[in-house]
Amino acid sequence: VMLAAGVRFEEVRALGWGGWFVVASLIFLVRPLQVFITTRGSELSIPERGFIAWVAPRGIVAAAIASIVARSLENAGLAGGVELRALVFLTIACTVTVAGLSAGLVGNWLGVRLPGRDRIAILGVGAIGIALGEVLRAAGRGVIFLDSNPHKTRQAEELGFPVVFGNALQERTLQRAGFESVETAVALTGNKTLNGVFVDRARDFFGVRRGLVAATEIDGGLVAELVEREEADVVFEAHHDLERWDSRWRSGEAEVIRCRYAPPREIEDPAPSEESPARGSGEAFVILAIERGGVTHPMSMAFEPKPDDGANVALHIPERDEALATLASRGWLPSGD
């Protein structure tokens, strides 16, 4: 601002084509050469070095030094101070305009631009979380786990998942996990409050749009507030006991099947009987993820299925028949795909 306040448009115009030639040389020759020499031997790739050469900061230090030098020249009665100040102003104006308007296009062209938000971050390496992660990974979704238990993080790493070890409530931990590219934060710990704080901070710190929390019930507290404000939802189709499913998976009593949704026929007497299972009352199955339009997402209680939606469902093998019957009554039929 101080530099611009001391420069007149007539002084910039007086530079003529020579001024434009100097600016072009700085942008297309001097700056790229400087960046490629100083980053030689670094871990930066050629496209990354090219992007730095195009958009790296330039101007603040030059403006400050130019103002000092121009004032010194004027005080010493030497010519060139006005032209130097005008040339620096022209350089800053051109580089800021060119880089600001073209950074996105150049980043795409060089292949260095961050991908869009498409990753799923899962807090808690448990059996149900691993099952969800495997379903999402098989569907082509990026999955990353966070946990503070070294044994569990090692377990996920052995299965080929990227894992971040640390306190998931700290901003630096979320940053290490790359939350700037996370679409959905899923909290699958047995601590409902921890789950709520995790998705809340993912939203506040990194703008994660969707948060899903595991909770055996909603009886007030942060989770209830998040759900009420529609800033989070309960993961899966109902409340589930995660520890029970961990035990079932360790015992080999759980499996994952594929289902397709077809709207169930309406029953003339819709009043539920005592024998019929109410929505979310049992632990015979868990709908892990939904596939719609070729994209797979973690299931949530607020999800409304449509015809031909696909689902990956975890079943308790000893209760397989009961689970399939309940799923069928809700429109979810086993499929061979």
Side-chain angles (χ1 to χ4, degrees):
V1 173
M2 294 178 63
L3 175 63
V7 177
R8 298 179 180 276
F9 179 72
E10 291 77 11
E11 297 171 353
V12 177
R13 186 170 56 183
L15 294 174
W17 287 106
W20 291 103
F21 176 77
V22 171
V23 172
S25 299
L26 290 173
I27 295 176
F28 296 106
L29 180 61
V30 176
R31 183 65 182 187
L33 185 61
Q34 175 196 9
V35 169
F36 275 84
I37 291 175
T38 55
T39 58
R40 183 178 54 186
S42 69
E43 296 180 356
L44 296 172
S45 64
I46 294 296
E48 289 170 340
R49 294 164 72 187
F51 187 72
I52 292 173
W54 185 249
V55 302
R58 53 170 82 81
I60 298 300
V61 175
I65 299 300
S67 298
I68 295 173
V69 173
R71 178 67 61 86
S72 300
L73 290 174
E74 292 173 358
N75 292 338
L78 299 175
V82 174
E83 290 79 3
L84 176 61
R85 193 162 47 217
L87 180 60
V88 172
F89 175 79
L90 180 63
T91 301
I92 294 174
C94 290
T95 54
V96 169
T97 301
V98 171
L101 294 177
S102 63
L105 295 175
V106 172
N108 286 333
W109 180 60
L110 293 174
V112 298
R113 193 169 184 176
L114 284 173
R117 290 184 176 271
D118 60 352
R119 301 178 76 193
I120 312 294
I122 301 176
L123 173 64
V125 182
I128 205 76
I130 291 293
L132 174 61
E134 289 179 336
V135 166
L136 294 171
R137 182 171 61 179
R141 301 299 303 269
V143 179
I144 186 167
F145 282 92
L146 299 93
D147 207 301
S148 58
N149 185 313
H151 172 72
K152 290 185 176 181
T153 55
R154 186 165 55 252
Q155 176 187 359
E157 288 175 341
E158 290 174 352
L159 293 173
F161 289 103
V163 187
V164 172
F165 172 78
N167 184 352
L169 301 186
Q170 294 181 345
E171 183 176 1
R172 64 173 178 267
T173 303
L174 302 182
Q175 192 167 19
R176 284 195 292 123
F179 264 60
E180 65 276 357
S181 61
V182 169
E183 174 201 62
T184 304
V186 184
L188 293 178
T189 76
N191 187 326
K192 183 175 65 175
T193 301
L194 172 61
N195 294 342
V197 175
F198 170 71
V199 300
D200 191 43
R201 293 193 176 180
R203 182 186 184 91
D204 288 344
F205 292 159
F206 293 94
V208 176
R209 294 185 293 270
R210 190 179 186 216
L212 302 177
V213 299
T216 54
E217 60 180 352
I218 298 180
D219 53 355
L222 178 59
V223 172
E225 294 177 7
L226 293 173
V227 172
E228 184 177 353
R229 296 199 303 260
E230 297 184 351
E231 295 177 0
D233 194 10
V234 177
V235 69
F236 309 133
E237 86 295 345
H239 303 289
H240 287 288
D241 186 337
L242 302 183
E243 293 184 1
R244 181 183 299 182
W245 281 95
D246 283 349
S247 176
R248 290 173 174 177
W249 239 285
R250 287 194 301 268
S251 303
E253 296 180 349
E255 63 176 348
V256 177
I257 67 168
R258 287 276 299 165
C259 292
R260 283 283 169 190
Y261 182 76
R265 298 178 180 177
E266 294 185 4
I267 303 175
E268 295 182 359
D269 181 11
S273 64
E274 294 183 358
E275 292 78 12
S276 62
R279 176 181 174 86
S281 62
E283 290 287 346
F285 66 88
V286 179
I287 301 181
L288 301 172
I290 294 296
E291 184 271 322
R292 175 180 290 176
V295 181
T296 300
H297 304 277
M299 179 62 165
S300 67
M301 284 184 65
F303 180 82
E304 295 294 337
K306 295 182 179 180
D308 292 328
D309 282 348
N312 290 84
V313 184
L315 298 182
H316 183 212
I317 296 175
E319 300 178 272
R320 180 184 176 89
D321 293 340
E322 175 187 340
L324 293 177
T326 305
L327 287 167
S329 69
R330 300 178 186 176
W332 294 107
L333 305 176
S335 65
D337 55 356

